[in-house]
Amino acid sequence: MPKTNISIHNTSNDTILKFEADRFLTNHNSFEFNNIDEAKNSPLAQQLFYLPFVKKVYIASNFVAIERYNIVEWKDVQDEVAQQLEDYLSNDGIIVTEDAIKPKAAVTVYAESTPNPSVLKFVCNKVLVPNLYEFSSIEDAKPSPFATALFQFPFVKNVFFDKNYVSITKFDIVEWEEITVQIREFIKTYVEDGKTILNDDAPQQLNKTEEAIEQKFEALDDTSKNIVNILEEYVKPAVASDGGNIEFKSYDENTKKVQVLLQGACSGCPSSTFTLKNGIENMLKEMLNDSEITVDAINN
């Protein structure tokens, strides 16, 4: 490949220097990288971040602009940077990968009310998580960078994920009409940017792998298995549409008491708790043909 020549140009910001090439670099696309992690789709930017004074890298059409930290002056390092760029580009180094050039998939997010006035359900047009997850504090949310980011909002009390939606429980310090648009736009941008929803080890850490779920089910007695199957088939789909979940906790064959955990929009709403408790209790009595069964519904 012919040698690429680099010329150096000052900008209105003395911390930013523009290194202009004598050919196009990005086919009219532009990119900005704030750190080496963001630059995963740009080998050129990654190489530049190994220079300790590089703060930001901008790549657009026929130039690379670099913002420096104040640990050096440009006059001391600009020639070295220009030479490095010339060598890299003249050796046909990759500027950005095809993944960086691909347009972002369009993401839509809309808000749905739930029976619980403290909870709003934000539905996305793409799958977010393989199984449901609930976090009640920023400390609990460590396995999920997405949930951790949501807890940065001071009004977020609880975060519940299931498939393609997130149900958010708020504190009473604000009304939904004041914050709905803000949260919806935050979720949309987060998902569009391809940021991490769950850490890779989250299923193992939270005992949510398919194997763990299967082992937990197989360890149950026959009546408990029947209860789980009834909840899965007849109850969960209905409560999921309202942004919540019912999780089986235990069954005592001596007292005939069934304990279930209310999650997401099902949790913390007195009327929902009462209605769900009675509905599940009546359903189990009829389907298991046992009038002595009682249900204890616990708010998470």
Side-chain angles (χ1 to χ4, degrees):
M1 185 175 185
K3 175 178 170 61
T4 299
N5 295 302
I6 295 290
S7 56
I8 302 171
H9 301 271
N10 294 320
T11 70
S12 57
N13 185 335
D14 63 4
T15 65
I16 298 176
L17 207 58
K18 186 176 176 183
F19 298 84
E20 191 171 300
D22 57 358
R23 66 179 176 90
F24 282 108
L25 304 177
T26 65
N27 195 25
H28 306 292
N29 292 306
S30 59
F31 306 89
E32 178 178 337
F33 306 103
N34 294 293
N35 53 58
I36 196 168
D37 289 333
E38 287 187 9
K40 63 182 179 181
N41 291 323
S42 173
L44 171 58
Q46 283 194 317
Q47 180 167 315
L48 290 170
F49 275 114
Y50 283 112
L51 299 173
F53 53 83
V54 172
K55 182 179 181 181
K56 286 185 181 181
V57 176
Y58 311 82
I59 304 176
S61 58
N62 68 329
F63 70 87
V64 177
I66 300 174
E67 182 176 355
R68 63 171 172 81
Y69 287 107
N70 290 325
I71 57 174
V72 296
E73 296 295 329
W74 272 125
K75 60 183 176 61
D76 297 324
V77 295
Q78 62 185 41
D79 292 336
E80 176 188 343
V81 174
Q83 186 61 55
Q84 182 173 328
L85 286 169
E86 282 189 358
D87 292 344
Y88 185 90
L89 296 171
S90 297
N91 287 311
D92 206 17
I94 297 173
I95 299 165
V96 291
T97 65
E98 289 185 4
D99 287 338
I101 299 170
K102 288 177 183 175
K104 293 178 181 177
V107 173
T108 60
V109 178
Y110 65 90
E112 283 185 359
S113 59
T114 74
N116 188 338
S118 295
V119 180
L120 212 57
K121 177 181 175 183
F122 295 86
V123 184
C124 187
N125 66 333
K126 64 177 291 183
V127 174
L128 302 176
V129 292
N131 293 304
L132 61 88
Y133 293 85
E134 185 169 32
F135 306 100
S136 56
S137 70
I138 196 168
E139 188 68 24
D140 290 341
K142 286 180 178 178
S144 170
F146 188 20
T148 299
L150 287 168
F151 275 113
Q152 301 297 325
F153 292 104
F155 45 76
V156 171
K157 182 179 181 181
N158 184 278
V159 175
F160 174 82
F161 295 127
D162 190 7
K163 301 300 184 202
N164 69 325
Y165 71 84
V166 50
S167 290
I168 295 178
T169 307
K170 70 172 181 65
F171 287 104
D172 293 334
I173 55 173
V174 292
E175 299 301 324
W176 279 120
E177 55 264 28
E178 300 172 37
I179 58 175
T180 299
V181 173
Q182 180 184 9
I183 297 179
R184 185 181 68 80
E185 287 302 316
F186 176 83
I187 293 171
K188 181 179 185 296
T189 301
Y190 192 100
V191 177
E192 275 184 340
D193 289 346
K195 293 182 179 179
T196 303
I197 306 292
L198 293 168
N199 292 331
D200 291 340
D201 62 349
Q204 290 80 15
Q205 194 174 344
L206 299 171
N207 209 27
K208 291 276 189 177
T209 62
E210 294 296 332
E211 183 181 1
I213 293 170
E214 184 65 25
Q215 287 178 349
K216 186 177 179 181
F217 179 78
E218 291 302 327
L220 299 174
D221 60 79
D222 289 342
T223 303
S224 294
K225 286 180 180 178
N226 285 334
I227 294 170
V228 170
N229 288 332
I230 291 169
L231 292 176
E232 289 286 341
E233 185 172 355
Y234 297 101
V235 180
K236 285 194 175 186
V239 297
S241 67
D242 285 333
N245 183 61
I246 305 291
E247 183 176 303
F248 173 81
K249 296 299 290 182
S250 64
Y251 168 69
D252 189 320
E253 62 180 347
N254 295 317
T255 63
K256 301 292 184 74
K257 178 179 285 189
V258 179
Q259 198 170 67
V260 296
L261 180 67
L262 307 183
Q263 297 177 300
C266 297
S267 179
C269 179
S271 60
S272 294
T273 302
F274 180 77
T275 302
L276 284 168
K277 173 192 177 313
N278 288 345
I280 295 169
E281 195 171 279
N282 291 334
M283 181 180 293
L284 293 178
K285 285 179 178 178
E286 180 179 343
M287 299 189 76
L288 296 176
N289 196 26
D290 189 338
S291 61
E292 295 182 11
I293 286 180
T294 60
V295 171
D296 185 15
I298 306 166
N299 286 304
N300 193 26

